[in-house]
Structure formats: C-alpha cells, structure tokens
Amino acid sequence: MKLNLIRIFVLLFTVIFCYSACKKTATKPVSTSPITDAYSAKQIALSLNQSLSGQLGGANINDGAKAPSSIVAGKKTKTVNSLNPLCGYVIDTAYTHLVLPGDTTEWLSGKFHFVYNCSSSYVDGYTVYDSLKVENYSPTFLDEYTNIQNYTFKATDNTYQSATLNGSIVTSISHQGITPPKIQNQFTSVDCNYQLKGLLITNASGTTDITAGTATFTSAVEEVDGPVGTHGYFANYAGSIQYIGNHQAKLIITGGHTYLINFVTGSVTQQ
C-alpha cells in the first residue's frame, strides 16, 4: 500500500493548503494565507496523479493490466500472460490492518473489487473499485485519508504499451492538530472528486505518461487555525485537467486561470 508515501502526502497537505481570498466561491471569516490559486491547482493535479500511479494505495496504471500485488500477495492467482488469462476472473475482498509502530497508531481498511476484462483470447484490462481509508493518530494529531478508485483500464493492443482509462476517483485528506487538553488548534481538509474521460495511458518508452484525455473535478478546501471560528477559510473549486503528454497537463479553474502543470519538475505556470 506504500503507507510511508501516504503519510508524506497527508503531511504535505497539512502544510500547503491555505488559500487566498480572491475567489468568488470562497468565504473567509479571517485569513492570513499566503498560498496562491496556482499552488492550489498544482496540488489538485498531483492528488489525481498520485492516486492513478498507486502512490496512495490501490490500483496502479504503471502495472498495466495487473491487480495490485499488495492485494493478491499470497493468493494463488495466474498472471496476465499465462496460458489461461482468467477472462472475467474476480478478486473481491475487504481488509483491515492495525499498526502500532510507537507513539503513532495507524489503522487502515478497504473494500477491493477487481475484474479482469478480455477481448478475443487475451486480457486487455480490468475494472476496479477500491475504497481505502487510512487513519494515523497520536495524542497530538489525527490524520485521515480516503482514496476511492472506480474506473476501467483497457489496453489498446496486446503489447499493453497504450491503454484508455474512464471512470472516477474521489480523494479526501484531513489533518487535525491537537494541543492538550485536546483543544483543536489546526484543522485542514481537502476533498476532490474527479471524473476521468478518455485518459490515454502510454508506456512505449518504459515510463508511463498520460498523453491525452480530460479529468473534470470539483474540490472543497477548509482550514481552521486556532479555536474554531477564529481563523478560517473555505473554498469550492471546479474545473478540468487536460492531459497533453510529456508528463504535463493544463488545469483550468472555472471562472479563473489556466495553469500548466509539469509532473516531473513540479513546476506550475499560469497561461
């Protein structure tokens, strides 16, 4: 599940998601946030990209037409390239896991439903529903993370170097900092809903890239710093992510600006 990356991603959102007051859809009792809409656009794009690439747990488009190894480990299942490709084979399971590594307790649970799809005599993709929830908590903080994948991955030929992807992804991340005696002094939440339309996945060079397709999104962001109602900010975002290849995408905020996102360098440029 790459839980270390999940922790890093949750902590990243703890720091970065403060927003400026320039958007018409925002309400702001009090805000001193220096974070720009350009930086917010970058995080919305990265959230989807990390979900698709398995960095947040679940299915990973880099694996081609294969079920996640973390789910099927220990199970006697055949591979995609076996003589019997298991057309229509279903993996359906629920799972929970509790880790007590020290001062921090980690708990995760999920529901996984995976079906191999076939054209002619070979597996050409899969349909997946994966709902994963992770909680990390200690006496001083509570981090909660949810990632829901619900999409169909279909290879364009039997080389698996190109595939299309359609469906949806929902992510929700929150951080609550607590100062004894359990007085909330920081709360941040970021909720994103993506609709994936005709994403074209290519892997001809050995490095997976999304070269075409669109993901429309809605996103709600909330931040409280200090006692509830003292310093807070809430904003709704909507728009689309248009993939253009070369590990880049244009993120368009409805009623706002367009940004060029580079997933390799992390750069964001207003168009």
Side-chain angles (χ1 to χ4, degrees):
M1 291 291 178
K2 299 187 178 180
L3 296 177
N4 289 333
L5 287 171
I6 293 176
R7 294 194 196 98
I8 293 171
F9 190 66
V10 171
L11 292 175
L12 175 65
F13 271 96
T14 300
V15 177
I16 62 177
F17 271 98
C18 309
Y19 288 81
S20 62
C22 63
K23 291 186 65 58
K24 294 181 180 179
T25 57
T27 59
K28 180 181 74 69
V30 178
S31 178
T32 57
S33 171
I35 303 302
T36 65
D37 283 349
Y39 200 73
S40 303
K42 173 181 175 179
Q43 302 312 317
I44 293 171
L46 288 177
S47 176
L48 175 57
N49 197 59
Q50 293 193 12
S51 178
L52 289 170
S53 60
Q55 296 180 53
L56 309 179
N60 180 355
I61 61 173
N62 296 299
D63 292 337
K66 299 178 183 178
S69 58
S70 58
I71 296 294
V72 301
K75 298 179 181 292
K76 294 182 179 180
T77 59
K78 297 184 179 181
T79 65
V80 169
N81 295 320
S82 64
L83 293 178
N84 182 354
L86 298 177
C87 295
Y89 183 81
V90 177
I91 303 170
D92 194 325
T93 185
Y95 53 91
T96 60
H97 189 56
L98 178 66
V99 181
L100 303 171
D103 295 336
T104 302
T105 299
E106 183 173 73
W107 176 83
L108 65 88
S109 65
K111 168 67 176 176
F112 183 78
H113 184 85
F114 185 101
V115 182
Y116 282 116
N117 299 325
C118 291
S119 293
S120 300
S121 60
Y122 69 93
V123 170
D124 69 346
Y126 58 84
T127 298
V128 64
Y129 174 84
D130 188 14
S131 176
L132 172 67
K133 182 176 182 179
V134 178
E135 291 184 0
N136 290 279
Y137 53 93
S138 77
T140 59
F141 72 86
L142 170 63
D143 291 333
E144 296 182 296
Y145 166 80
T146 301
N147 181 34
I148 302 173
Q149 300 171 313
N150 187 7
Y151 60 77
T152 297
F153 178 98
K154 181 179 175 61
T156 59
D157 57 44
N158 59 7
T159 68
Y160 303 104
Q161 293 183 350
S162 177
T164 59
L165 191 150
N166 292 275
S168 65
I169 286 178
V170 176
T171 61
S172 177
I173 296 173
S174 68
H175 168 83
Q176 179 176 326
I178 301 172
T179 301
K182 295 187 176 181
I183 299 174
Q184 177 177 298
N185 63 357
Q186 184 183 36
F187 177 78
T188 303
S189 67
V190 181
D191 302 314
C192 294
N193 188 318
Y194 306 94
Q195 299 297 317
L196 315 176
K197 301 176 182 179
L199 271 59
L200 181 62
I201 317 298
T202 61
N203 194 31
S205 63
T207 302
T208 303
D209 189 16
I210 305 176
T211 58
T214 300
T216 58
F217 68 85
T218 57
S219 180
V221 180
E222 181 180 6
E223 182 184 74
V224 175
D225 186 9
V228 175
T230 302
H231 299 281
Y233 187 81
F234 178 82
N236 287 319
Y237 288 86
S240 64
I241 303 171
Q242 298 178 358
Y243 289 91
I244 59 176
N246 197 26
H247 306 285
Q248 297 183 95
K250 290 185 178 181
L251 188 144
I252 303 169
I253 295 177
T254 302
H257 297 293
T258 297
Y259 301 93
L260 178 66
I261 311 293
N262 188 306
F263 296 108
V264 175
T265 66
S267 65
V268 53
T269 307
Q270 183 176 323
Q271 299 293 285

